[in-house]
Amino acid sequence: MENITPGRRWGTLAIACLAVLLLSIDLTVLHLAVPKLVTDMNPSATQLLWITDIYGFALAGLLISMGNLGDRIGRKRLLLIGAVTFGAASLVTAYAPNPELLIAARAVLGVAGATIMPSTLSLIRNVFTDPKERTSAVGIWSSVTAVGFALGPIVGGALLERFWWGSVFLINLPVVAVILVAGLVVLPESRNPRPGRLDVISVPLSVVSVLALVYALKEAAHNGVAHAPVVTAALIGVVALAVFIRRQTRIAEPLIDVRLFRRRAFSVSVGAELIAMFAMLAMSLVFAQYFQLVAGLSPLVAALASMPGGLAGGVGGALAGTLVHRWGRARVVALGLAMTAVAFAMFRGLGTEFDYPYVLAAMILQGVGIGFTFAVTNDTVLASAPKERAGAAGAISETAHEMGGALGIAVLGSVLNSVYSSGLRLPANLPPGAEDRIRETLAGAFEVAATLPGDVAGAVTTAAERAFVEGVHTTVLTGAGILLALALAALYALRGVPKVIPEQEEEPAAGPVPEKIS
C-alpha cells in the first residue's frame, strides 16, 4: 500500500467535503425555484411531480449499485466521472426548454449524485488508516453535509432574487471544475483488488426494491396508505427486497455482503441513521411551512432563520470525534439522539405568535444532537466494514438516509396532516369545494382565504393556523418519543463497541488481501 502523506490525506478530505457540499445544496435548492419554474415552463401537475422527485428517486435507487461499482473500477475514477456528468447535467437543467428535457436532466443529475456520494466516504475510509484520524475526518464530512442542507435554500433564495430559476443549477459548474482539477492531482486511487464478477440479477433487484419502497413512502405522504399505487409499490418493493437479500446470501460474489448486518455496530448504526434522518427531514418540512405561512417570512428570510440549525449540525459533527474518544460511541450517539428528542419536545411550545429566540434555542439543540449522531454512526458503519467494501458500506449508509427521509415525511407528515384536517373549525357558508381545499394543506387554506370576503378570510386563516400548530404539537411529540426510544436502544445496543474499531477483514477469510491505493 502506498504511504499517503498527511497533506494528501487532508486534501482528499477537502475534495470529498466539497463534493458532498455540492450534493447537499442541490438536494434543497430546487424547491425554492419551483414557483418561477412553473410560471416560465407551465408543466402539468404530473410533470412537476417528476421534476421535483426524479432526482431523489435516481439517487436512492442507484446508491448501492454505484457504491459497489466504485469498489470495482476505482473510487477516484467513479467520483471524477460522476462530477463530469453532474456538471454537464446541471448545464442542461439550467437551460432546459421544456419539462421533458428538464425531467431527463434531473434524472441524470440523480445518477451522477449516486456515483459521487458513496465515493466520498469510501475515499475517506481508505486514506485515513489511523482510526482516530478517520473518526475526525468523517465528523468533518458529516458537518459539511449539514451545512450544505442549510446553505441550499439561502443560495437558491439569493439567486432567485435577481435571476431566472435555472441560475440555481449554474452554481454547480465552478464547484465541479474545482473538484475535477484538484481531484486529478490529489486523490489517490483505491479499489477492491478481488471484486469478482458483477451479478447482473442483483443490480436490477436492488434498484427496483429501493425505488418501489421510496415511491410508496412518498405517495403515502400525499395520498394515504390505502391508496392503490402505494399498496402496489410497497408490495413490489418488499418482494424485490426479500429476493435480493436471499440472493445475496446464496451467491459467491454478492452485490452487498449482508453478513455486515450481523455486526451489531454496523446494523445499529444504519438503523440510527435511518431514524435520525426520519426526524430531521420531517422537521425540515414542518419549519418550511411554519416560517413562511404562520410566521409570514419570505422564502429567503425563512431559509436564513433555519440556517443556525444546519450550522449547529456542523459544529456537532466536528466535535463528535473528540467526544467519542472520551465517552465512547454508545454514549455519544445516545446523547445526540436524546438532545434531538428534547429539542422536539421544546417545539411543542410553538404557537401562532412567532417567538424566534425560543425556536432558535430548540433548533441549535437539535442541530448539535443530529451532528453527534450522524458523525459517529457514519464512522461506525465505515469502520465496521472491510476497506475492500468501503463503497458498498457507504452506499448502505446513504440509502438509509434516503429511506429515512422518505419515511419521516410519510409518517410524521401524515400525522401533521391528519391532526390539521381533523382539528379545523371552519366558518359556515363557505363556497362549494372550498372546505376540501382548506383541509388538504395550510397553503391551500391561505390560497382559498385570499378569494374570500375579509371577515370570512380572517376566520379561515385563524382556524387553519391554530389547527396547523396543533398538528405540529402532535407531530413533534411523536418524533420525540421515537427518538428517545432510539437513544435508549443505541445506548444498550452499542455498548461494548470500542472507541477505536479494529481493522475488519473480508469474509470468508481466505487470507486478507491488501487494499490497492495508488
Side-chain angles (χ1 to χ4, degrees):
M1 180 189 300
E2 178 189 346
N3 184 30
I4 306 297
T5 64
R8 200 174 182 191
R9 285 201 302 273
W10 294 104
T12 297
L13 175 62
I15 295 168
C17 286
L18 189 60
V20 79
L21 181 68
L22 175 72
L23 295 183
S24 300
I25 291 175
D26 205 74
L27 278 169
T28 54
V29 76
L30 176 67
H31 296 111
L32 287 176
V34 165
K36 283 192 174 183
L37 187 155
V38 170
T39 300
D40 292 348
M41 195 170 285
N42 194 29
S44 67
T46 301
Q47 287 173 331
L48 182 60
L49 183 65
W50 281 108
I51 289 169
T52 55
D53 285 349
I54 191 64
Y55 175 83
F57 284 149
L59 179 68
L62 290 170
L63 278 169
I64 292 174
S65 298
M66 292 301 180
N68 189 278
L69 182 63
D71 289 340
R72 293 169 180 275
I73 70 170
R75 291 110 186 191
K76 172 183 176 178
R77 178 182 298 176
L78 188 64
L79 174 63
L80 296 180
I81 291 172
V84 170
T85 307
F86 199 90
S90 296
L91 187 62
V92 175
T93 300
Y95 291 102
N98 54 62
E100 293 79 10
L101 184 58
L102 179 57
I103 292 168
R106 288 285 292 168
V108 176
L109 274 175
V111 174
T115 68
I116 294 172
M117 185 67 82
S119 297
T120 61
L121 276 174
S122 56
L123 282 167
I124 292 171
R125 170 70 172 88
N126 279 275
V127 299
F128 286 91
T129 54
D130 178 79
K132 290 185 178 180
E133 277 196 345
R134 188 205 58 240
T135 301
S136 298
V138 174
I140 293 170
W141 180 92
S142 297
S143 69
V144 171
T145 304
V147 171
F149 280 120
L151 283 177
I154 296 172
V155 172
L159 287 170
L160 291 170
E161 291 275 327
R162 296 189 177 187
F163 305 107
W164 92 113
W165 63 267
S167 63
V168 300
F169 297 102
L170 292 182
I171 60 171
N172 296 338
L173 300 183
V175 180
V176 166
V178 173
I179 292 171
L180 288 174
V181 173
L184 286 169
V185 176
V186 175
L187 293 178
E189 185 59 283
S190 64
R191 61 177 63 85
N192 186 344
R194 295 180 182 174
R197 65 181 181 83
L198 183 66
D199 183 46
V200 295
I201 297 177
S202 294
V203 172
L205 280 174
S206 72
V207 173
V208 169
S209 61
V210 174
L211 280 181
L213 291 173
V214 171
Y215 176 81
L217 291 170
K218 285 181 175 289
E219 278 294 300
H222 293 292
N223 300 305
V225 177
H227 190 51
V230 173
V231 176
T232 302
L235 286 174
I236 292 172
V238 169
V239 171
L241 182 61
V243 174
F244 173 77
I245 292 173
R246 179 175 174 80
R247 184 170 182 81
Q248 302 316 291
T249 63
R250 298 170 73 87
I251 60 178
E253 297 157 348
L255 192 64
I256 285 181
D257 187 354
V258 294
R259 290 171 297 184
L260 289 173
F261 286 94
R262 297 176 187 170
R263 298 173 179 173
R264 180 161 47 89
F266 183 92
S267 56
V268 172
S269 294
V270 170
E273 288 181 335
L274 188 148
I275 297 299
M277 185 61 76
F278 167 101
M280 190 177 79
L281 263 292
M283 281 312 300
S284 176
L285 174 67
V286 169
F287 274 129
Q289 297 179 75
Y290 180 81
F291 281 156
Q292 294 185 56
L293 299 176
V294 178
L297 305 181
S298 70
L300 180 56
V301 174
L304 289 169
S306 301
M307 187 175 182
L311 295 179
V315 173
L319 292 176
T322 301
L323 294 180
V324 163
H325 297 303
R326 290 182 179 179
W327 300 342
R329 294 174 184 269
R331 290 179 180 176
V332 177
V333 172
L335 174 63
L337 292 169
M339 288 172 65
T340 310
V342 171
F344 269 53
M346 289 177 65
F347 292 137
R348 175 68 174 75
L350 294 178
T352 54
E353 297 296 324
F354 187 42
D355 183 1
Y356 185 65
Y358 179 84
V359 174
L360 179 63
M363 281 197 304
I364 291 174
L365 184 65
Q366 177 196 5
V368 174
I370 289 290
F372 286 169
T373 302
F374 281 144
V376 180
T377 53
N378 276 322
D379 179 62
T380 306
V381 167
L382 289 178
S384 300
K387 285 195 299 181
E388 292 82 6
R389 294 188 176 272
I396 293 172
S397 177
E398 294 303 327
T399 302
H401 287 190
E402 294 295 323
M403 295 290 289
L407 185 63
I409 292 173
V411 175
L412 294 185
S414 296
V415 171
L416 175 61
N417 292 337
S418 176
V419 176
Y420 164 77
S421 179
S422 62
L424 274 171
R425 300 294 181 266
L426 297 173
N429 302 321
L430 290 171
E435 182 171 343
D436 291 341
R437 180 74 178 116
I438 292 169
R439 291 189 183 278
E440 284 181 359
T441 62
L442 181 60
F446 276 66
E447 290 176 5
V448 171
T451 67
L452 300 175
D455 55 340
V456 180
V460 168
T461 55
T462 299
E465 286 179 353
R466 288 176 178 171
F468 180 80
V469 169
E470 289 175 3
V472 170
H473 293 168
T474 302
T475 301
V476 296
L477 288 179
T478 303
I482 293 171
L483 286 163
L484 186 58
L486 181 61
L488 295 173
L491 186 62
Y492 172 78
L494 290 175
R495 74 193 191 287
V497 175
K499 298 175 183 178
V500 178
I501 298 177
E503 190 68 26
Q504 306 296 314
E505 295 182 356
E506 277 270 42
E507 297 180 28
V513 180
E515 179 80 357
K516 285 185 179 178
I517 298 184
S518 57

